[in-house]
Amino acid sequence: MGIFRRAFTDTVTHLSALFLAIIGGVISLIALYFLKGETMALEEIPYVFAGIIGVVGGAIFAFIWNLACAPYRNERDKRLALEAKIGAVDDKEISRLKRQDSFFLWEAACLLAGVPPRYPVAPGGGSVYLEKLKFEFLNDRLSLVDNEQRLEHIKTMYRASKLIHGLEHPAIDDNIIITKTELIRYAKENSIEIIELGLTPQLPADKPT
């Protein structure tokens, strides 16, 4: 929407009640003329015109103000519309994950972090969990689904890298599979909630007194 059109629309919206008041004043003046006579109506005309001038002046000021704010409001509306569209896509992706029995490792990391499932994983909670899941796998605390020889080779290279100075750790593909059962087991053991999968940390039961 153009800035002049936006400013005009906002002005009409904000001052619609005042314009209705002007119409009400004119109607009252006409009614006064027929009910009380011309003399009484003429006495009220200056007040009606003063009100009209005030409303027109306010409308001009409001239009100038809305014109200055129009670019920001247009950008804000575009941003909100984009956020709503992204939110709808995120909801669709979360619904898809709920129906799955397994996930890519990066999807599992997003679920653990409670962030929208997007790849590449943004720096922060999702990326932290992604690296943590890889570390847990390398240290035999997490099971992943892939070619067994390939997985064992990755672990062997990791152990060697800890023994041989300067040897790089093996890279683990973000798209390696983890089952839902394994992810839930890991989350429970570490008291991590995954609301999308209906998993919330269990609070310790109160001891009987």
Side-chain angles (χ1 to χ4, degrees), residues 6 71-81:
R6 177 60 187 260
Y72 162 76
R73 290 171 179 167
N74 282 340
E75 288 300 318
R76 179 196 60 191
D77 290 350
K78 291 178 182 178
R79 174 175 53 81
L80 292 176

Side-chain angles (χ1 to χ4, degrees), residues 15 18-19 21-22 49-61:
L15 298 180
L18 292 179
F19 287 123
I22 291 178
F49 272 104
I52 293 174
I53 293 172
V55 170
V56 172
I60 294 173
F61 176 80

Side-chain angles (χ1 to χ4, degrees), residues 2-206:
I3 59 174
F4 284 97
R5 182 181 176 186
R6 177 60 187 260
F8 177 79
T9 301
D10 289 346
T11 301
V12 172
T13 301
H14 296 157
L15 298 180
S16 56
L18 292 179
F19 287 123
L20 290 176
I22 291 178
I23 296 174
V26 173
I27 293 175
S28 298
L29 188 62
I30 294 173
L32 187 64
Y33 174 82
F34 286 105
L35 295 176
K36 298 292 184 178
E38 181 180 355
T39 303
M40 184 68 71
L42 290 175
E43 292 178 357
E44 297 296 327
I45 287 178
Y47 300 105
V48 174
F49 272 104
I52 293 174
I53 293 172
V55 170
V56 172
I60 294 173
F61 176 80
F63 178 79
I64 294 173
W65 174 261
N66 288 327
L67 186 63
C69 296
Y72 162 76
R73 290 171 179 167
N74 282 340
E75 288 300 318
R76 179 196 60 191
D77 290 350
K78 291 178 182 178
R79 174 175 53 81
L80 292 176
L82 181 60
E83 289 177 355
K85 185 176 181 180
I86 292 174
V89 172
D90 290 341
D91 291 342
K92 185 178 180 180
E93 285 297 298
I94 290 174
S95 296
R96 176 182 62 82
L97 292 181
K98 288 180 179 180
R99 298 190 298 269
Q100 293 182 185
D101 293 324
S102 61
F103 313 99
F104 291 129
L105 204 59
W106 68 267
E107 291 176 330
C110 290
L111 287 171
L112 290 171
V115 298
R118 301 175 193 158
Y119 192 82
V121 180
S127 61
V128 170
Y129 273 110
L130 182 58
E131 293 305 313
K132 190 170 184 178
L133 288 174
K134 293 178 181 181
F135 181 78
E136 296 293 308
F137 161 72
L138 292 172
N139 288 276
D140 298 319
R141 293 192 291 266
L142 191 73
S143 297
L144 300 178
V145 179
D146 202 290
N147 181 279
E148 289 295 332
Q149 292 182 344
R150 180 184 176 214
L151 294 178
E152 190 57 38
H153 174 71
I154 291 174
K155 288 184 179 180
T156 301
M157 291 295 295
Y158 172 71
R159 297 187 189 102
S161 70
K162 292 197 296 184
L163 296 174
I164 303 175
H165 181 70
L167 183 64
E168 292 185 0
H169 290 186
I172 300 179
D173 190 351
D174 296 344
N175 290 319
I176 284 183
I177 301 297
I178 181 173
T179 65
K180 179 187 288 188
T181 302
E182 181 67 2
L183 177 60
I184 290 177
R185 180 197 64 77
Y186 173 80
K188 285 182 177 179
E189 288 183 357
N190 292 274
S191 299
I192 303 172
E193 68 175 15
I194 307 180
I195 297 176
E196 291 81 3
L197 302 182
L199 179 64
T200 56
Q202 297 296 318
L203 298 177
D206 295 334

